[in-house]
């Protein structure tokens, strides 16, 4: 019997308790590190952003980490932050952990607003640029074909996925033409303190977490979240991806960090208990993998077939697309170890069975 979400959370510690930054305000969580929380119009209803006190090219100011989506509400919240939280100083650079819309959506706006540079990994820069072009925006026909090949056959769902071809550019209408590259191991001095980039895979193409070595702080982005498990999906662009292996291998890279590290996640509250949380995430996926293997040993299963195994609750379409990607990721983990093999049926659906 696995532990409940509440029992798992009890293994973590939230040093700020239930305190949240007020809308349009920030809250100091470590010296020179301030927490901003903005609303999102999704089931995941907020994102955490960070302000780091900085000095760049002889100028005093702030580095922003992550941006929120390109919505007017988010721009208005930023303007309130600029007015009250920057001590009259400018934003000097914009760091983005990865290319998902809630993180990079307003990067171009922020960079133009402050005439400053975007810092991001090369892969996520390129993918965000591609996704923001309306002609190559993700989703639409290719996504519908991918979901159909993994057993999502409901015509209404497929039609709605087909019609959702401008979802990414609607949240990320533009990305700067130029950027400063972040990569694994890169040391970035911020405000006279050392920060080190840690790459992570399986959630986004090349996610960058930032370890503030002097402060004992980890800006974990979406790679380590306290309450929800990171979405680990296979997408239509890379239909044979082994995202779960990439994700689980990436988690190992946070284990050398000190036990007392304060984790600043993109969703949820700052916490300590990084090593406990990593173990929880490994346990979570190990349990899900066992369930998927059990299902596939009873009968050949498509991604859609294992959805109710992994997600026993009702899902709306948006959640279903995430869940399908996650289901395929778990099937592919076993497929790559050689324990499952796949076969395509007459309808073009991939089904996995014990090898
Ligand atoms: Zn993300």
């Amino acid at each position: 019997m696995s532990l409940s979400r509440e029992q798992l959370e009890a293994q973590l510690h939230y040093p700020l308790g239930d305190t949240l930054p007020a809308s349009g305000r920030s809250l100091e969580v470590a010296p020179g590190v301030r927490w901003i929380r903005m609303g999102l119009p999704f089931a995941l209803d907020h994102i955490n952003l960070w302000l780091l006190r900085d000095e760049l090219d002889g100028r005093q100011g702030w580095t922003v980490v992550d941006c929120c989506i390109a919505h007017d509400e988010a721009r208005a919240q930023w303007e309130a932050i600029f007015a009250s939280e920057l001590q009259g100083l400018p934003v000097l650079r914009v760091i983005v952990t990865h290319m998902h819309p809630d993180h990079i959506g307003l990067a171009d706006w922020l960079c133009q607003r402050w005439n400053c540079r975007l810092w991001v990994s090369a892969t996520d820069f390129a993918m965000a640029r591609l996704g923001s072009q309306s002609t190559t925006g993700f989703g639409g026909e290719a996504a519908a074909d991918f979901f159909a090949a993994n057993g999502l056959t409901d015509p209404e769902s497929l039609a709605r996925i087909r019609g959702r071809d401008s979802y990414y550019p609607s949240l990320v209408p533009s990305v700067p033409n130029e950027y400063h590259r972040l990569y694994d191991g890169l040391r970035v001095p911020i405000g006279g303190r050392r920060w080190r980039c840690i790459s992570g895979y399986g959630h986004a193409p090349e996610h960058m977490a930032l370890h503030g070595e002097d402060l004992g702080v980890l800006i974990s982005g979406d790679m380590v979240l306290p309450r929800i498990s990171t979405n680990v999906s296979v997408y239509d662009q890379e239909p044979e991806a082994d995202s779960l292996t990439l994700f689980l291998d990436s988690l190992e890279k946070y284990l050398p960090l000190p036990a007392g590290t304060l984790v600043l996640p993109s969703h949820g509250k700052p916490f300590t208990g990084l090593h406990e949380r990593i173990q929880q995430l490994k346990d979570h996926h190990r349990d899900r993998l066992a369930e998927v293997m059990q299902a596939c040993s009873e009968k050949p299963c498509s991604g859609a077939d294992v959805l109710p195994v992994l997600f026993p609750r009702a899902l709306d379409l948006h959640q279903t697309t995430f869940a399908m990607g996650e289901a395929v990721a778990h099937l592919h983990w076993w497929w790559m170890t050689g324990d499952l093999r796949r076969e395509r049926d007459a309808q073009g659906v991939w089904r996995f069975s014990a090898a």
Side-chain angles (χ1 to χ4, degrees), residues 98 100 102-103 203-204 207 222 267:
H98 64 295
H100 291 160
D102 44 338
H103 301 261
H203 171 69
H207 182 291
D222 278 351
H267 310 284

Side-chain angles (χ1 to χ4, degrees), residues 34-54:
R34 302 192 71 87
W35 174 20
I36 303 168
R37 197 173 185 272
M38 288 194 185
L40 289 174
F42 310 124
L44 186 55
D45 64 1
H46 71 278
I47 179 167
N48 299 324
L49 316 169
W50 313 98
L51 286 175
L52 309 178
R53 188 66 171 79
D54 202 2

Side-chain angles (χ1 to χ4, degrees), residues 38-42 44-49 66-78 96 99-110 167-174 267 318:
M38 288 194 185
L40 289 174
F42 310 124
L44 186 55
D45 64 1
H46 71 278
I47 179 167
N48 299 324
L49 316 169
D66 285 338
C67 306
C68 204
I69 55 172
H71 275 193
D72 286 341
E73 294 80 359
R75 290 187 192 89
Q77 284 189 70
W78 270 120
V96 163
M99 50 77 71
H100 291 160
D102 44 338
H103 301 261
I104 205 170
L106 279 178
D108 194 29
W109 177 79
L110 282 164
Y167 184 70
Y168 191 88
S170 75
L171 303 171
V172 189
S174 60
H267 310 284
H318 190 65

Side-chain angles (χ1 to χ4, degrees), residues 19 23 25 56 84 120 131 142 156 185 202-203 206 208 250 262 267 315-316 320 339 351:
T19 310
S23 174
R25 306 303 292 238
L56 202 60
S84 68
V120 63
E156 195 200 313
H203 171 69
E206 193 185 2
M208 286 296 151
S250 299
L262 178 65
H267 310 284
L315 303 171
D316 64 22
T320 299
D339 293 288
R351 284 210 164 70

Side-chain angles (χ1 to χ4, degrees), residues 93-254:
R93 62 181 148 188
V94 174
I95 292 178
V96 163
T97 56
H98 64 295
M99 50 77 71
H100 291 160
D102 44 338
H103 301 261
I104 205 170
L106 279 178
D108 194 29
W109 177 79
L110 282 164
C111 287
Q112 291 196 34
R113 173 82 170 67
W114 292 100
N115 190 26
C116 66
R117 183 75 72 226
L118 167 65
W119 294 46
V120 63
S121 74
T123 319
D124 281 50
F125 173 73
M127 291 298 275
R129 291 271 296 171
L130 198 62
S132 65
Q133 312 295 312
S134 57
T135 50
T136 56
F138 310 137
E141 199 68 44
D145 290 349
F146 172 73
F147 288 125
N150 285 289
L152 189 75
T153 50
D154 166 43
E156 195 200 313
S157 297
L158 289 176
R160 286 174 61 194
I161 292 166
R162 248 180 220 108
R164 231 178 45 166
D165 58 351
S166 56
Y167 184 70
Y168 191 88
S170 75
L171 303 171
V172 189
S174 60
V175 175
N177 295 325
E178 299 166 338
Y179 78 112
H180 188 112
R181 183 174 185 175
L182 299 179
Y183 51 87
D184 189 52
L186 178 70
R187 282 191 158 78
V188 183
I190 300 176
R193 293 193 168 93
R194 291 174 302 170
W195 292 78
R196 183 173 57 94
C197 294
I198 305 175
S199 62
Y201 303 91
H203 171 69
E206 193 185 2
H207 182 291
M208 286 296 151
L210 288 161
H211 180 215
E213 295 170 317
D214 302 325
L215 292 168
V217 163
L218 175 70
I219 295 178
S220 64
D222 278 351
M223 287 297 289
V224 185
L225 302 172
R227 203 173 149 76
I228 53 174
S229 67
T230 300
N231 178 256
V232 178
S233 276
V234 177
Y235 295 96
D236 59 274
Q237 290 154 321
E238 197 188 343
E240 286 96 36
D242 185 8
S243 308
L244 186 53
T245 296
L246 290 173
F247 179 73
L248 293 172
D249 286 353
S250 299
L251 285 183
E252 300 292 325
K253 297 168 73 176
Y254 304 108

